[in-house]
Amino acid sequence: MKKLGNLTVAAAAIALLAGCTNNPYTGEREAGKAGVYGGIGAVSGALIGAATSSKKDRTKGALIGAAVGGAAGGGYGYYVDTQEAKLRQTLQGTGVQVQRTGDQLTLIMPGNITFASNSADISSSFYPTLNSLVKVFKEFDKNGIAITGHTDSTGSQQLNQDLSNRRAQSVADYLASNGVPSARISAYGAAASQPIASNDTAAGRAQNRRVEIDLQPL
């Protein structure tokens, strides 16, 4: 009974760790929604692993069970936690923003670092960032990659629609040409229909000129 009690304490400790994720900015561990489910899974997995292992391998079984149970308990949310941390680390200092809403990740790429004015040709200085994204997208392959081009309200609707389409497609073509499966990728131009700032100021228009990548379950 004493040994089983020790295993229960160990399982609880593992669950606490599984229920937390590292904040990519502070390095501190924080509890998250997906992590809570992962923690519950870790407890269950640890106890099952201990119960189904021989006396000699009981502790090893508990640890293995906790790891498997924690990941399974977290499900897609656990997967997104890991992907988000990797993206924030990879994109730090590039000017690309990472936003999360539930289990959807959105990458916001400002127009001033991605394309020259009125052009759909990707700036050469942005290639290293896209190459980093290619590596992450290959590693995390359970997402669809929806690319949307956006403009400010300057110019005609037709001009903005065409420019936003071509910019989204340029990013899509680059990802596909570097090994990201095209079946995962979609490209769409929203023109000026989805502003995130006022088009009445230069600063607002600069924010509205952007490309966004939404990562959602396939």
Side-chain angles (χ1 to χ4, degrees), residues 93-136:
T94 65
V96 178
Q97 301 175 48
V98 181
Q99 292 185 354
R100 180 170 177 177
T101 304
D103 285 340
Q104 176 176 315
L105 293 172
T106 300
L107 309 180
I108 301 175
M109 303 184 290
N112 66 315
I113 65 173
T114 50
F115 298 98
S117 180
N118 293 321
S119 172
D121 295 329
I122 297 171
S123 298
S124 59
S125 60
F126 197 62
Y127 288 146
T129 300
L130 285 179
N131 291 337
S132 296
L133 283 180
V134 166
K135 292 179 181 178
V136 176

Side-chain angles (χ1 to χ4, degrees), residues 55-68:
K55 201 173 207 182
K56 180 180 177 183
D57 295 329
R58 191 163 287 165
T59 301
K60 182 179 178 182
L63 293 172
I64 294 172
V68 174

Side-chain angles (χ1 to χ4, degrees), residues 74-97:
Y76 187 74
Y78 179 87
Y79 175 88
V80 176
D81 286 344
T82 309
Q83 185 181 33
E84 178 186 11
K86 184 63 174 283
L87 284 168
R88 289 190 185 280
Q89 178 186 33
T90 300
L91 297 171
Q92 192 169 17
T94 65
V96 178
Q97 301 175 48

